[in-house]
Amino acid sequence: MTEARHGLTTLKGWDDSHPLLAFPMVYLGWAYLFWAPMLWSQTSVWSLPNLLWFLIGGASPLLAGLGLAALTGGKTQVLDLVRRLLDWRRIPGRWWLTILLFWLCFDLIMAGLAVVLGITDSPLDVHWTLLQNPGPLLFLLLLSFVFPAIEEIGLRGVYLDRLQQHFGPATAGLINGAVWAAWHAPFVCFPGYYADISFNPELYWWLPMILCQTLLLVQVYNQTNRSILAVLIFHGMMNFTGEWLRISSDMYPFMLSGNVLAAALLLIWWNNKKV
């Protein structure tokens, strides 16, 4: 018992001394440890034992977030995470519209521009029948919202808070996004991971897109009283809308330009607020 207590004290001391490194080390280290066998596998990520390794590794943002919260703030900080995850009243009424409709409007605008500019004449293939099929709809809802719940508790609820204690929202968002992108990078190598969905990313456009989307998540987070629920739903709607609209694979490099523009406008606005 004494050795365990001494170990926790040592970990807390290291975390206190390196508050910006502790989360990514646990977050990425735990994930890569369990995902490594899948990267060399020739069988689907959805088959055993790969699925087990994927789920254990994929829990890393939740484990890192809850673990560090408990280590540094004990029960009080863990309960604060729970409150910010469940309390919908933290979110101002006008922000609910943004959270629920931003990605639908963004995707439709980008699809329209793609047609006008001649990039593709079939930017979308809307999955209307999805709304009539409970099984596939439930799977998509789980994929769209459960994984973001696991991610947002640690990434934004814990790590973004730490970053914004040292940096402004732009720098904090870029660091947060870079760590998030590093966690996602192995996904393109997982056998069969994207087999049953329309999204099939390539790193050259996906990783910078994650950086841009993180800045948007930072804005939602800061404008909703640090609500984890707000960024969870915003993140989930991004996933769900893209899959429901079934954005053409030809569209995604072009979609990056829209994400860059949205992030750039946000950076300009943040900069103007300082003046």
Side-chain angles (χ1 to χ4, degrees):
M1 181 67 74
T2 303
E3 290 182 3
R5 192 171 297 142
H6 176 71
L8 288 175
T9 302
T10 302
L11 283 174
K12 186 178 186 306
W14 191 90
D15 181 42
D16 290 340
S17 302
H18 305 84
L20 303 185
L21 290 177
F23 180 86
M25 287 186 67
V26 177
Y27 171 57
L28 297 177
W30 178 276
Y32 290 171
L33 175 66
F34 288 97
W35 288 347
M38 293 193 307
L39 295 177
W40 306 107
S41 173
Q42 299 299 313
T43 56
S44 171
V45 67
W46 304 115
S47 64
L48 294 174
N50 282 352
L51 179 59
L52 182 62
W53 304 140
F54 172 71
L55 292 175
I56 295 174
S60 72
L62 182 63
L63 294 174
L66 290 178
L68 292 176
L71 184 66
T72 57
K75 183 179 178 181
T76 300
Q77 192 166 340
V78 172
L79 289 177
D80 177 64
L81 287 175
V82 174
R83 280 192 293 269
R84 290 190 288 127
L85 175 64
L86 299 178
D87 187 4
W88 57 270
R89 293 167 297 183
R90 300 178 72 96
I91 307 172
R94 65 185 182 277
W95 273 94
W96 276 107
L97 284 176
T98 300
I99 292 165
L100 293 172
L101 297 178
F102 176 85
W103 291 111
L104 177 62
C105 296
F106 177 84
D107 290 346
L108 291 175
I109 289 171
M110 293 301 295
L113 286 174
V115 173
V116 170
L117 297 174
I119 292 171
T120 177
D121 58 358
S122 301
L124 306 175
D125 180 21
V126 183
H127 195 178
W128 294 110
T129 58
L130 181 68
L131 303 179
Q132 303 169 0
N133 294 289
L137 178 60
L138 179 60
F139 175 76
L140 181 54
L141 287 171
L142 288 173
L143 197 64
S144 298
F145 290 95
V146 172
F147 287 163
I150 292 171
E151 291 180 276
E152 296 302 331
I153 290 171
L155 267 168
R156 257 60 75 169
V158 174
Y159 192 43
L160 181 58
D161 270 1
R162 290 187 172 200
L163 289 167
Q164 289 195 112
Q165 290 171 8
H166 295 81
F167 307 109
T171 302
L174 290 172
I175 296 173
N176 192 267
V179 172
W180 193 26
W183 187 81
H184 276 91
F187 279 48
V188 300
C189 301
F190 293 160
Y193 182 77
Y194 296 104
D196 296 324
I197 58 177
S198 64
F199 187 64
N200 190 20
E202 296 184 50
L203 293 181
Y204 80 92
W205 56 259
W206 191 34
L207 298 189
M209 193 178 289
I210 289 174
L211 283 176
C212 296
Q213 291 164 351
T214 303
L215 295 178
L216 301 180
L217 283 160
V218 171
Q219 176 68 356
V220 170
Y221 185 75
N222 288 343
Q223 296 299 317
T224 57
N225 303 305
R226 298 168 53 244
S227 171
I228 299 172
L229 178 63
V231 288
L232 186 168
I233 297 174
F234 188 71
H235 182 173
M237 288 303 297
M238 175 178 66
N239 294 344
F240 180 81
T241 301
E243 271 305 304
W244 177 59
L245 294 176
R246 287 199 291 205
I247 299 171
S248 166
S249 58
D250 297 335
M251 278 284 293
Y252 279 104
F254 177 63
M255 296 289 283
L256 173 60
S257 64
N259 279 264
V260 170
L261 177 60
L265 291 173
L266 184 57
L267 288 171
I268 292 170
W269 186 70
W270 281 341
N271 187 63
N272 288 340
K273 281 184 66 178
K274 295 179 185 177
V275 179

